């Protein structure tokens, strides 16, 4: 029997899909690459923006015909979208061919649900109280990188964001459990560990012995062996100097910080409930650059938040030029039911949002190009991560600061550290050649 997982959204979901894969493989299913060949199709969903949701409903709908031809096929919908109020009932009624709906909180119930579905019994459970995040056999898919959860959920309630409602309150994993997982991954040969949390900087505040994100970084930084440690996402209001110092002190910790700004206007930030001002953010960027001169800072930015004026938007453009991000994920604000911003006045017309995102992308593109040009002719350590499937015999990997580089070599290099000289840097895409093998 074969399973296919359709994953939407962020790295958190990518990693949850590895847990889903572990459960399916525990049941004797093997992975396959298309829903049409599968005996079980699992949608691991996202609801951060309306476009994500519309796409998912479209993809679920497409399975109606497939299921008619293959009545024993199991269809499951898991993840953030199903955790929203009312969605499980909607799917139960409008998509009768869906066998299973589970929320972010009930992945542990997937095994039982699949066994029931094999006997034609449908399961719907999005009850947060059933929560169990630990003890999943995982089937990892991103060698040489391994994702490791450090905290779940979010307490920040940014006014535009659905995440706190679908992922629940912040919960930190015990440091001893994280350390055991990291050590086991390194022993298995993983070369890059990426710590995951909606807000990694608040790690430990709910643990009993004064644990903090900085103390966790130091403990992992002390481990022997050649590997890279990355982490995401950092909320600017909680990024301490101690964390910056830990990144500076340990060569294993990559000088790469994802620091979502969302807007460059203090007034919009206030209404987003971000709890920092434009100046707070820019001085944090300065503090980071003072201690980590080669750091790559990336960000998330939103345009068209309710009430955003042309002046507010220009403040965002100006901040982008000052912060000098190596790259930025830029989004059009999407109204999410149940969030405070949904009912704010002055929702911005779509045409204005479109115009702003185009200008924002152009602005960031200029910054990225300039940073790329500065890399020309220089040499960087790169971890070979995988094939660039668009070109023959081409692999790609990232510099410590997080920039993606393409270079010619075969796939026996995957998981090795190499030194690459940058030869082409016209845009965001960098090309180079291996000048030295490291390991
Ligand atoms: N509309 C658009 N973008 C959003 N994000 C979160 N909520 C919304 C929304 N309602 C963006 C933020 C966040 C990233 C993961 O998604 O920029 O940092
Ligand atoms: Fe959403 Fe804000 Fe929490 Fe990030 S910090 S997940 S944007 S509420």
């Amino acid at each position: 029997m074969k399973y296919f997982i359709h994953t939407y959204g962020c790295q958190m979901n990518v990693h949850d899909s590895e847990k889903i894969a572990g459960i399916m493989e525990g049941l004797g299913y093997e992975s396959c690459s298309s829903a049409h060949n599968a005996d079980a199709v699992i949608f691991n969903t996202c609801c951060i923006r309306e476009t994500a949701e519309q796409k998912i409903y479209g993809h679920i709908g497409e399975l109606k015909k497939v299921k008619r031809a293959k009545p024993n096929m199991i269809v499951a919908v898991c993840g953030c979208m199903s955790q929203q109020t009312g969605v499980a009932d909607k799917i139960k009624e409008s998509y009768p061919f869906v066998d299973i709906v589970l929320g972010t909180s009930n992945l542990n119930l997937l095994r039982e649900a699949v066994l029931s579905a094999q006997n034609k019994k449908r399961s719907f459970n999005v009850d947060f109280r059933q929560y169990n995040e630990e003890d999943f056999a995982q089937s990892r898919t991103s060698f040489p990188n391994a994702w490791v959860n450090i905290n779940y959920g979010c307490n920040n309630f940014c006014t535009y964001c659905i995440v706190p409602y679908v992922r629940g309150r912040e919960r930190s994993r015990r440091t001893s459990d994280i350390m055991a997982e990291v050590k086991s991954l390194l022993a298995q040969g993983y070369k890059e560990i990426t710590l995951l949390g909606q807000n990694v900087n608040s790690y430990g505040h709910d643990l009993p012995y004064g644990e903090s994100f900085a103390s966790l970084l130091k403990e992992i930084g002390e481990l022997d062996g050649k590997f890279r440690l990355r982490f995401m996402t950092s909320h600017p209001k909680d990024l301490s100097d101690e964390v910056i110092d830990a990144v500076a002190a340990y060569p294993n910790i990559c000088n790469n910080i994802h620091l979502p700004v969302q807007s460059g206007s203090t007034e919009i930030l206030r209404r987003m409930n971000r709890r920092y001002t434009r100046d707070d953010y820019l001085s944090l960027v300065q503090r980071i650059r003072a201690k980590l001169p080669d750091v790559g800072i990336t960000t998330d930015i939103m345009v068209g938040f309710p009430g955003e004026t042309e002046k507010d938007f220009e403040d965002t453009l100006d901040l982008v030029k000052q912060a000098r991000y190596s790259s930025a994920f830029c989004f059009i604000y999407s109204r999410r039911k149940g969030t405070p911003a949904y009912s704010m006045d002055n929702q911005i017309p779509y045409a204005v949002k479109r115009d702003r995102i185009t200008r924002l992308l152009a602005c960031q593109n200029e910054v990225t190009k300039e940073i790329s040009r500065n890399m020309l002719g220089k040499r960087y350590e790169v971890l070979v991560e995988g094939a660039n499937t668009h070109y023959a015999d081409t692999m790609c990997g990232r510099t410590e600061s997080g920039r993606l580089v393409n270079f010619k070599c075969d796939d026996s290099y995957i998981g090795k550290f190499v030194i690459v000289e940058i030869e082409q840097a016209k845009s965001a895409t960098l090309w180079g050649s291996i000048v030295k093998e490291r390991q």
Side-chain angles (χ1 to χ4, degrees), residues 70-168:
K70 280 174 43 179
N72 289 332
M73 183 175 80
I74 296 172
V75 181
V77 184
C78 305
C80 294
M81 189 182 94
S82 31
Q83 190 68 60
Q84 289 177 103
T85 315
V87 169
D89 288 339
K90 173 176 166 182
I91 294 179
K92 197 173 188 171
E93 275 155 37
S94 313
Y95 297 80
F97 56 93
V98 171
D99 304 283
I100 299 167
V101 175
L102 294 177
T104 54
S105 52
N106 333 84
L107 263 192
N108 51 312
L109 304 179
L110 182 62
R111 187 189 149 81
E112 288 305 314
V114 170
L115 290 172
S116 300
Q118 287 173 349
N119 295 313
K120 303 277 176 224
K121 195 168 160 282
R122 301 173 88 196
S123 307
F124 295 83
N125 197 329
V126 291
D127 184 348
F128 256 115
R129 285 164 304 182
Q130 307 254 348
Y131 216 96
N132 173 15
E133 285 131 338
E134 299 292 315
D135 299 330
F136 285 105
Q138 301 173 12
S139 172
R140 296 186 178 270
T141 50
S142 59
F143 181 87
N145 174 66
W147 311 105
V148 174
N149 291 121
I150 65 164
N151 50 2
Y152 306 97
C154 182
N155 286 354
N156 291 312
F157 291 94
C158 302
T159 55
Y160 50 80
C161 187
I162 193 81
V163 169
Y165 305 91
V166 294
R167 289 273 179 182

Side-chain angles (χ1 to χ4, degrees), residues 1-5 17-18 20-26 28-35 37-40 42 139-141:
M1 289 188 297
K2 296 202 160 61
Y3 73 90
F4 174 73
I5 307 175
S17 287
E18 296 180 334
I20 294 174
I23 294 170
M24 296 308 288
E25 288 170 20
Y29 286 81
E30 280 170 26
S31 92
C32 72
S33 55
S34 122
N37 303 328
D39 302 290
I42 299 109
S139 172
R140 296 186 178 270
T141 50

Side-chain angles (χ1 to χ4, degrees), residues 349-414:
Y350 186 70
V352 175
K353 290 180 180 169
R354 266 262 54 106
D355 171 63
R356 287 183 185 162
I357 194 124
T358 310
R359 287 155 68 199
L360 175 61
L361 288 168
C363 176
Q364 175 56 43
N365 203 17
E366 280 310 305
V367 177
T368 304
K369 270 194 202 158
E370 220 180 289
I371 296 175
S372 296
R373 275 199 296 272
N374 277 329
M375 295 174 78
L376 252 183
K378 295 191 183 134
R379 294 177 173 196
Y380 296 89
E381 185 188 76
V382 170
L383 172 60
V384 186
E385 291 173 28
N388 178 334
T389 47
H390 300 291
Y391 303 91
D393 303 322
T394 304
M395 296 292 133
C396 59
R398 276 172 303 157
T399 63
E400 187 190 337
S401 70
R403 291 298 306 273
L404 201 67
V405 188
N406 297 300
F407 42 89
K408 295 275 177 204
C409 69
D410 62 54
D411 58 10
S412 67
Y413 279 77
I414 293 175

Side-chain angles (χ1 to χ4, degrees), residues 207-371:
L207 294 177
Y209 305 114
E211 293 94 330
S212 69
F213 185 52
S215 65
L216 179 67
L217 283 181
K218 287 180 204 164
E219 214 171 317
I220 303 177
E222 291 287 345
L223 295 176
D224 291 333
K226 172 77 183 154
F227 71 96
R228 283 179 168 181
L229 182 65
R230 298 185 187 275
F231 53 87
M232 65 191 322
T233 291
S234 285
H235 194 305
K237 78 178 166 56
D238 298 315
L239 183 68
S240 66
D241 285 336
E242 229 190 323
V243 166
I244 305 172
D245 290 339
V247 178
Y250 293 94
N252 282 343
I253 308 180
C254 292
N255 52 24
N256 180 198
I257 299 185
H258 186 59
L259 196 66
V261 65
Q262 313 298 358
S263 168
S265 150
T266 293
E267 174 54 17
I268 294 293
L269 289 169
R270 189 185 65 74
R271 286 198 275 124
M272 287 177 163
N273 191 31
R274 292 291 289 178
R275 286 174 278 174
Y276 53 84
T277 64
R278 168 195 175 82
D279 290 345
D280 295 337
Y281 185 93
L282 284 169
S283 62
L284 175 59
V285 167
Q286 255 177 19
R287 283 208 310 282
I288 296 171
R289 292 205 188 278
K291 288 184 176 162
L292 306 169
D294 297 324
V295 70
I297 304 179
T298 57
T299 201
D300 295 342
I301 311 175
M302 209 181 296
V303 299
F305 185 80
E308 183 187 70
T309 62
E310 176 63 20
K311 168 76 174 67
D312 292 321
F313 173 66
E314 281 165 12
D315 284 350
T316 298
L317 292 180
D318 183 67
L319 181 138
V320 161
K321 288 178 198 152
Q322 289 193 46
R324 304 192 53 71
Y325 299 114
S326 41
S327 68
F329 297 96
C330 302
F331 305 108
I332 287 181
Y333 166 73
S334 168
R335 229 172 146 183
R336 305 282 60 205
K337 255 202 193 100
T339 63
Y342 183 88
S343 31
M344 285 182 185
D345 293 339
N346 281 320
Q347 300 284 332
I348 305 295
Y350 186 70
V352 175
K353 290 180 180 169
R354 266 262 54 106
D355 171 63
R356 287 183 185 162
I357 194 124
T358 310
R359 287 155 68 199
L360 175 61
L361 288 168
C363 176
Q364 175 56 43
N365 203 17
E366 280 310 305
V367 177
T368 304
K369 270 194 202 158
E370 220 180 289
I371 296 175

